[in-house]
Amino acid sequence: MAREQLQVLNALDVAKTQWYHFTAIIIAGMGFFTDAYDLFCISLVTKLLGRIYYHVDGAGKPGTLPPNVSAAVNGVAFCGTLAGQLFFGWLGDKLGRKKVYGMTLMLMVICSVASGLSFGHTPKSVMVTLCFFRFWLGFGIGGDYPLSATIMSEYANKKTRGAFIAAVFAMQGFGILAGGIFAIILSSAFKTMFEAPPYEVDALRSTIPQADYVWRIILMVGALPAALTYYWRMKMPETARYTALVAKDAKQAASDMSKVMQMDIEAEPQKIEQMEKEKSQFGLFSKEFAKRHGLHLLGTTTTWFLLDIAFYSQNLFQKDIFSAIGWIPSAKSMNAIEEVYRIARAQTLIALCSTVPGYWFTVALIDKMGRFTIQLMGFFFMTVFMFALAIPYDHWTHRDNRIGFVIMYSLTFFFANFGPNATTFVVPAEIFPARLRSTCHGISAASGKLGAIVGAFGFLYLAQNKDKAKADAGYPAGIGVKNSLIVLGVINALGFLFTFLVPESKGKSLEEMSGENEDKESPAEAEL
């Protein structure tokens, strides 16, 4: 039997879209901006680090990071993110969203700057300090996932909640573009100021001493937008749902939201007491949780895990694709700064054409089509395009068919963003009870990051040529790109099936979705 909702929560549910909704999107989205900026830039930076710190005299090709160093520099932030999602997700339910929100941002700002200041005289010491700070940067970014999603879902109204949470996530698109554009501007400036011959002409002079500043500046600038939003994050009141339903302070919730929404809201302490008596306070590991939300949590964790395997393996094929279509010439025909410029330009073009539009399609349509439909459709098309790339793979490798390959490849990632990449972020913030919402979102997100680690590193080894002699330096033989694409197609098909475990939350209030409005049916279970 449903019970009447608290007035303050009802006011939030039926509120018209107002200015505070947009400020919340920007404040919450800045973490994702930094996240995407950072993940995007590291791929530009690794090439340059290889040339600066791993140059071999007399080698035919420029220096590159050894496989284990490359995996560490790229992967350590993922490990930090996974740990941060679990830790801060849990903390956000224990201490409140707002208290923890400032911590994650500060951590991101400090570690972004510190990773650009990585010090040491030997290549090893520079890489170790860089990895250390990138781990903690990831830890801060990880905390932002559950907290930003939860804050936005708890501030939003019923009608456009999906679009608001998706818009926070879509700030990643702007982060990618900002990273690309900044790298293009910076490398152009350095290229003009310090001329250098290509590697094949003069190996030593092709990497100018000033190149060491380039990667450091690129990494440090990522801290700027996050630092600018710190003040606004601290001014934001705690969400009414946390204050009322978890901290049980109806007065505070009503007064906070009266200020934010500029209207009078009555505090209803007696209603909270009434809810307290009636409601079962089941914990995360209780039978009651397993019965009500067990399958939902299984659905959100598996779909996010499977999606991220496919989504993060894209980076592996990116460099081959760019080289194959001639966007990026061979490394030895460029100097170090030219290479940064070329890769940044190619990645920015891909982002502009497929990644960013996908995010905003989701924002525009999620509250019309619903989360479930968009996720099913996204996984379906990702499966189709992966198989279409994999089965006639030999056909796509011919020179004349390269453009077709890029179009198919771009469409795969358009449907990832206008599909499960956005919805797997939105849904866990809507379907769990307020006191476990941030924790459950953190668990789902961490499961996704585990998929990202599998996608980025498992496939790095899998996609290697079957013939050991043709595999990249330092890698064992793999199953080849064609078979890797087939495996990815199967993974996407599994994502399609697991989507059926996730409920549709379009147009429903958070309390309706989580069952917090229902009267108690079973004896109260002990709290966690």
Side-chain angles (χ1 to χ4, degrees):
M1 189 181 98
R3 194 191 319 101
E4 195 190 336
Q5 198 180 19
L6 280 170
Q7 191 191 334
V8 62
L9 304 188
N10 192 46
L12 280 166
D13 275 344
V14 298
K16 287 197 165 58
T17 300
Q18 290 168 36
W19 184 242
Y20 74 87
H21 286 125
F22 293 107
T23 51
I25 288 172
I26 290 173
I27 296 166
M30 266 315 155
F32 286 95
F33 181 95
T34 311
D35 175 20
Y37 178 97
D38 178 72
L39 282 179
F40 178 87
C41 287
I42 200 68
S43 59
L44 305 178
V45 167
T46 44
K47 286 265 195 288
L48 188 56
L49 289 173
R51 286 190 184 232
I52 297 171
Y53 293 105
Y54 290 90
H55 172 76
V56 180
D57 281 331
K61 286 181 177 172
T64 54
L65 297 184
N68 58 338
V69 178
S70 172
V73 171
N74 285 305
V76 74
F78 284 149
C79 300
T81 306
L82 194 154
Q85 285 161 336
L86 292 171
F87 176 72
F88 286 117
W90 167 79
L91 208 60
D93 281 334
K94 281 280 167 274
L95 301 181
R97 331 293 190 215
K98 182 192 167 167
K99 275 190 186 134
V100 184
Y101 214 28
M103 291 184 221
T104 61
L105 197 70
M106 236 28 260
L107 196 56
M108 281 155 66
V109 172
I110 292 165
C111 294
S112 271
V113 174
S115 61
L117 297 173
S118 298
F119 45 83
H121 293 297
T122 62
K124 189 177 177 184
S125 58
V126 175
M127 295 303 141
V128 169
T129 46
L130 178 63
C131 288
F132 174 80
F133 290 123
R134 281 186 61 73
F135 176 85
W136 291 107
L137 172 65
F139 195 68
I141 286 170
D144 233 63
Y145 272 72
L147 291 165
S148 292
T150 303
I151 285 174
M152 200 61 237
S153 81
E154 293 183 343
Y155 261 104
N157 54 32
K158 277 197 296 204
K159 203 166 147 209
T160 53
R161 186 179 60 233
F164 287 156
I165 306 173
V168 168
F169 195 60
M171 292 290 276
Q172 280 191 333
F174 288 130
I176 292 172
L177 286 183
I181 291 164
F182 182 70
I184 289 170
I185 294 168
L186 192 71
S187 52
S188 303
F190 270 76
K191 219 164 60 171
T192 319
M193 282 154 51
F194 310 101
E195 292 206 354
Y199 184 87
E200 53 194 359
V201 175
D202 186 336
L204 261 181
R205 282 180 48 233
S206 71
T207 307
I208 51 169
Q210 292 83 354
D212 201 43
Y213 295 124
V214 173
W215 69 269
R216 293 174 187 275
I217 295 170
I218 288 178
L219 287 183
M220 286 160 81
V221 166
L224 265 179
L228 294 175
T229 51
Y230 183 75
Y231 169 75
W232 299 108
R233 267 199 190 184
M234 293 294 84
K235 296 267 288 187
M236 220 175 170
E238 181 56 87
T239 71
R241 287 186 159 89
Y242 184 86
T243 313
L245 299 174
V246 186
K248 312 279 185 274
D249 188 344
K251 256 198 186 117
Q252 188 63 45
S255 92
D256 282 348
M257 292 307 112
S258 301
K259 281 187 205 130
V260 169
M261 299 168 76
Q262 295 164 345
M263 61 187 278
D264 287 328
I265 297 171
E266 177 196 345
E268 301 165 297
Q270 65 296 342
K271 206 181 265 190
I272 283 197
E273 282 164 29
Q274 177 71 8
M275 285 161 76
E276 217 14 50
K277 286 181 196 141
E278 290 173 358
K279 203 167 59 188
S280 61
Q281 288 285 344
F282 54 88
L284 183 64
F285 298 110
S286 62
K287 278 188 188 148
E288 184 71 8
F289 180 85
K291 193 174 90 183
R292 290 182 181 213
H293 300 293
L295 280 177
H296 297 165
L297 190 58
L298 180 67
T300 57
T301 48
T302 47
T303 50
W304 205 336
F305 175 74
L306 293 163
L307 161 84
D308 271 9
I309 293 179
F311 193 75
Y312 282 92
S313 62
Q314 65 172 314
N315 304 333
L316 309 176
F317 307 118
Q318 223 163 40
K319 63 176 192 305
D320 308 331
I321 287 166
F322 292 153
S323 306
I325 54 173
W327 274 6
I328 297 177
S330 67
K332 62 176 191 278
S333 65
M334 299 182 280
N335 65 42
I337 304 292
E338 173 76 19
E339 187 174 40
V340 171
Y341 172 78
R342 291 292 186 106
I343 300 174
R345 197 179 63 175
Q347 290 195 345
T348 310
L349 273 171
I350 283 272
L352 259 180
C353 301
S354 74
T355 317
V356 178
Y359 283 124
W360 292 103
F361 263 81
T362 306
V363 173
L365 296 172
I366 191 166
D367 289 308
K368 294 184 178 70
M369 290 170 66
R371 292 74 168 137
F372 182 74
T373 316
I374 287 182
Q375 190 162 313
L376 268 188
M377 175 198 73
F379 270 129
F380 175 77
F381 282 113
M382 284 171 77
T383 310
V384 169
F385 288 123
M386 278 292 183
F387 282 133
L389 287 176
I391 295 163
Y393 182 71
D394 300 329
H395 164 82
W396 295 119
T397 51
H398 297 310
R399 269 196 111 81
D400 311 339
N401 307 326
R402 283 170 178 175
I403 296 299
F405 186 83
V406 174
I407 291 169
M408 300 282 272
Y409 178 82
S410 297
L411 279 169
T412 312
F413 292 98
F414 171 78
F415 280 109
N417 289 325
F418 176 35
N421 196 28
T423 53
T424 50
F425 176 78
V426 173
V427 175
E430 302 181 309
I431 61 178
F432 299 108
R435 66 182 181 285
L436 300 171
R437 187 170 289 135
S438 172
T439 309
C440 291
H441 194 286
I443 293 169
S444 308
S447 165
K449 269 295 164 280
L450 198 60
I453 293 168
V454 173
F457 302 107
F459 279 88
L460 196 54
Y461 287 89
L462 271 184
Q464 293 300 332
N465 202 300
K466 292 179 196 169
D467 176 2
K468 171 105 176 68
K470 291 183 186 167
D472 290 349
Y475 288 95
I479 58 171
V481 174
K482 177 177 178 166
N483 293 343
S484 297
L485 286 167
I486 291 175
V487 173
L488 288 173
V490 172
I491 286 169
N492 290 329
L494 282 174
F496 179 86
L497 295 175
F498 276 105
T499 299
F500 287 98
L501 294 176
V502 183
E504 177 57 79
S505 45
K506 180 178 82 168
K508 295 179 179 169
S509 84
L510 294 176
E511 288 65 43
E512 205 179 327
M513 279 312 298
S514 63
E516 284 169 294
N517 264 359
E518 290 164 19
D519 287 348
K520 170 177 72 170
E521 289 162 20
S522 58
E525 299 236 1
E527 178 101 50
L528 239 179

